[in-house]
Amino acid sequence: MWPRLVANKILRKPLGSNNFVTDFPGNDSPDGLVVEAPSFDQPSSNSTPTIFNHHKDTNTHKYKVFVSTWNVGGEEPQQDLNIKDWIDTSCDIYVFGFQEIVPLKASNVLGSENSSICMKWNSLIREALNKKTHYYSQDNLKHDKHDHDGNPNIIESSNNPREFYCIISKQMVGILISVWVRSNIRPFIRHPNVSCVGCGIMGCLGNKGSVSVRFRLHETSFCFVCTHLASGSREGDEKLRNSNVADILSRTSFPRGPLLDLPRKILDHDRVIFLGDLNYRISLPEATTRSLVERREWNALLKHDQLMMELKEGQVLEGWHEGAIQFAPTYKYCPNSNVYYGCRPGNKGEKRRAPAWCDRIIWCGKGLKQHEYGRGTSKLSDHRPVKAIFTAEVGVLRTLRGYHSFFLSQRLDKISSQFQVSSADDFLCKGSTKSSSFKI
């Protein structure tokens, strides 16, 4: 198996754009995710703007979007990891990006993906978003409602339908992106696709690179790019990261759709957000960096932040935007500690990595307004998680209200899905949960 997998990665053979995990709206029908009828988009001979023709008359609605990124350093999430306090449940769309969900060793980089870790993260996200998990009481438990350890299984109550659904979850080696939406907007999500680009070993393996997802909400296209760029703190290493970004922007490609009217490249989309461990460092001597961090002089440090300089005058990310950073550097911490790596005496010859804002969320284009940008305090890995909350403008057909019942009719729900997807049950994990701090 390995030679074929490696050959496909070296030859940059693209993965199927529809090869991802997703939820279905009901257990009895796998055809309800994609609420779209290609024939409805056929241009009409009538020039009057209607829901059926190409020239669409739209209103602008606003939706709240939650975006987070976290390099978890190959650490598996434990059942007592509580991410509920980290998540703002007032949002409509949630994008969770992770890096290094598995250790970046040869067997993981060259072999097939280990989906069990992805399942654990999705299970935690599902529980945190819905918060409607039902535990059976001991009196009502049957022998088949226990796990192997004798603990009651987590079973979602039929009286409490889900509020959020996963529309896309995709893993490439250690990179995972998982996108969830509120149930009332799920019927208006169309054309979900993924595109993976490896930029790691030999310029093509997936230890570094990106997993991009796109979809259309009403009449507005979204693209979220979860990335893990080249590491290194030596002078000139930022050029490798710039090269990774250029590679991702050029190689990422999505299908144009049956009418050839869908965006193909990342920057062709209406709303684009880049998130991940971008690995950009601070271009100052290590001693100076540590001194400024101790004094919490963020502005002095940010003047020498490599990504900030790239956003202002770079060749690759010029014109992109980032919210004001008013939090401490997110990398690199000692294990299970709030102390930065290198502040304590280490082994002789051990690398000393100065603190840096490696984990970032940036965006380009209009129609996005950031309201919050911050970091968490979980000590699971040597990185701290980062989150941002946006308001996104979305074009909605003026005539949509008149056709609302039509869009939600059973006829549309029975349209066959074009996607090869996995059942939601495939990534529900069993077990009991305990509380653990995960606050900002």
Side-chain angles (χ1 to χ4, degrees), residues 330-385:
T330 58
Y331 174 85
K332 173 181 171 75
Y333 285 90
C334 295
N336 196 31
S337 169
N338 286 323
V339 178
Y340 285 107
Y341 194 82
C343 293
R344 295 171 176 170
N347 298 327
K348 187 176 181 180
E350 193 175 46
K351 290 183 179 179
R352 292 169 56 88
R353 295 177 174 89
W357 286 280
C358 289
D359 310 277
R360 312 286 275 269
I361 300 171
I362 61 176
W363 74 95
C364 75
K366 299 179 180 179
L368 287 169
K369 182 179 180 181
Q370 191 182 82
H371 301 280
E372 184 178 335
Y373 195 28
R375 53 161 264 176
T377 59
S378 172
K379 302 173 186 176
L380 180 67
S381 76
D382 55 353
H383 289 250
R384 297 296 180 260

Side-chain angles (χ1 to χ4, degrees), residues 186-305:
R186 182 202 54 79
F188 307 108
I189 299 287
R190 296 175 292 156
H191 309 295
N193 295 113
V194 300
S195 180
C196 301
V197 172
C199 300
I201 300 169
M202 295 184 290
C204 59
L205 297 187
N207 57 306
K208 294 292 190 292
S210 68
V211 179
S212 302
V213 303
R214 76 90 174 272
F215 57 87
R216 179 175 285 175
L217 172 57
H218 292 291
E219 300 306 309
T220 300
S221 60
F222 286 80
C223 184
F224 298 93
V225 186
C226 183
T227 64
H228 192 184
L229 304 184
S231 61
S233 56
R234 295 174 299 182
E235 184 177 354
D237 282 345
E238 68 275 13
K239 304 301 181 184
L240 297 176
R241 295 183 268 277
N242 293 345
S243 177
N244 285 171
V245 173
D247 216 15
I248 290 167
L249 293 176
S250 65
R251 288 171 52 195
T252 299
S253 181
F254 299 99
R256 294 298 307 274
L259 298 179
L260 304 179
D261 62 341
L262 299 177
R264 182 169 173 266
K265 309 300 289 184
I266 290 174
L267 296 178
D268 294 337
H269 291 78
D270 299 317
R271 313 286 179 258
V272 182
I273 296 180
F274 223 76
L275 58 135
D277 180 1
L278 305 189
N279 255 321
Y280 285 98
R281 309 302 171 92
I282 298 169
S283 296
L284 284 173
E286 180 186 336
T288 305
T289 298
R290 293 187 185 278
S291 176
L292 291 172
V293 168
E294 286 180 7
R295 299 198 301 269
R296 301 180 66 85
E297 296 187 18
W298 308 145
N299 290 335
L301 284 166
L302 288 168
K303 290 179 181 179
H304 302 276
D305 177 81

Side-chain angles (χ1 to χ4, degrees), residues 57-345:
D57 190 15
T58 61
N59 280 327
T60 299
H61 288 203
K62 292 183 179 180
Y63 291 90
K64 286 184 70 176
V65 182
F66 174 99
V67 181
S68 71
T69 178
W70 193 7
N71 184 323
V72 295
E75 299 290 337
E76 290 189 29
Q78 301 302 312
Q79 290 182 349
D80 62 350
L81 178 63
N82 181 8
I83 63 173
K84 294 176 184 177
D85 295 327
W86 170 246
I87 298 173
D88 183 329
T89 53
S90 68
C91 296
D92 304 292
I93 301 170
Y94 292 82
V95 181
F96 298 90
F98 299 92
Q99 303 81 41
E100 296 189 41
I101 64 167
V102 296
L104 299 183
K105 56 185 181 180
S107 59
N108 289 330
V109 174
L110 300 176
S112 56
E113 273 77 24
N114 178 1
S115 62
S116 64
I117 308 300
C118 169
M119 291 160 56
K120 289 184 178 182
W121 282 110
N122 278 322
S123 182
L124 282 173
I125 294 168
R126 181 189 303 282
E127 182 185 348
L129 284 175
N130 288 294
K131 296 185 178 180
K132 294 177 180 177
T133 304
H134 174 70
Y135 287 87
Y136 281 87
S137 67
Q138 288 291 338
D139 295 336
N140 295 330
L141 283 173
K142 297 180 181 179
H143 66 277
D144 59 349
K145 290 190 174 72
H146 287 79
D147 63 16
H148 295 299
D149 297 324
N151 299 315
N153 289 337
I154 298 175
I155 302 179
E156 190 172 12
S157 171
S158 59
N159 297 325
N160 293 318
R162 296 176 191 163
E163 180 67 17
F164 294 94
Y165 286 88
C166 177
I167 61 168
I168 300 177
S169 176
K170 181 63 180 176
Q171 176 187 358
M172 180 185 74
V173 188
I175 301 173
L176 168 66
I177 186 168
S178 189
V179 182
W180 300 67
V181 300
R182 196 174 290 275
S183 58
N184 63 338
I185 67 171
R186 182 202 54 79
F188 307 108
I189 299 287
R190 296 175 292 156
H191 309 295
N193 295 113
V194 300
S195 180
C196 301
V197 172
C199 300
I201 300 169
M202 295 184 290
C204 59
L205 297 187
N207 57 306
K208 294 292 190 292
S210 68
V211 179
S212 302
V213 303
R214 76 90 174 272
F215 57 87
R216 179 175 285 175
L217 172 57
H218 292 291
E219 300 306 309
T220 300
S221 60
F222 286 80
C223 184
F224 298 93
V225 186
C226 183
T227 64
H228 192 184
L229 304 184
S231 61
S233 56
R234 295 174 299 182
E235 184 177 354
D237 282 345
E238 68 275 13
K239 304 301 181 184
L240 297 176
R241 295 183 268 277
N242 293 345
S243 177
N244 285 171
V245 173
D247 216 15
I248 290 167
L249 293 176
S250 65
R251 288 171 52 195
T252 299
S253 181
F254 299 99
R256 294 298 307 274
L259 298 179
L260 304 179
D261 62 341
L262 299 177
R264 182 169 173 266
K265 309 300 289 184
I266 290 174
L267 296 178
D268 294 337
H269 291 78
D270 299 317
R271 313 286 179 258
V272 182
I273 296 180
F274 223 76
L275 58 135
D277 180 1
L278 305 189
N279 255 321
Y280 285 98
R281 309 302 171 92
I282 298 169
S283 296
L284 284 173
E286 180 186 336
T288 305
T289 298
R290 293 187 185 278
S291 176
L292 291 172
V293 168
E294 286 180 7
R295 299 198 301 269
R296 301 180 66 85
E297 296 187 18
W298 308 145
N299 290 335
L301 284 166
L302 288 168
K303 290 179 181 179
H304 302 276
D305 177 81
Q306 294 173 350
L307 180 58
M308 285 285 190
M309 292 187 284
E310 187 63 32
L311 293 174
K312 291 179 181 178
E313 53 192 38
Q315 299 297 314
V316 178
L317 291 171
E318 185 180 8
W320 288 65
H321 310 284
E322 183 178 27
I325 293 179
Q326 297 176 337
F327 51 86
T330 58
Y331 174 85
K332 173 181 171 75
Y333 285 90
C334 295
N336 196 31
S337 169
N338 286 323
V339 178
Y340 285 107
Y341 194 82
C343 293
R344 295 171 176 170

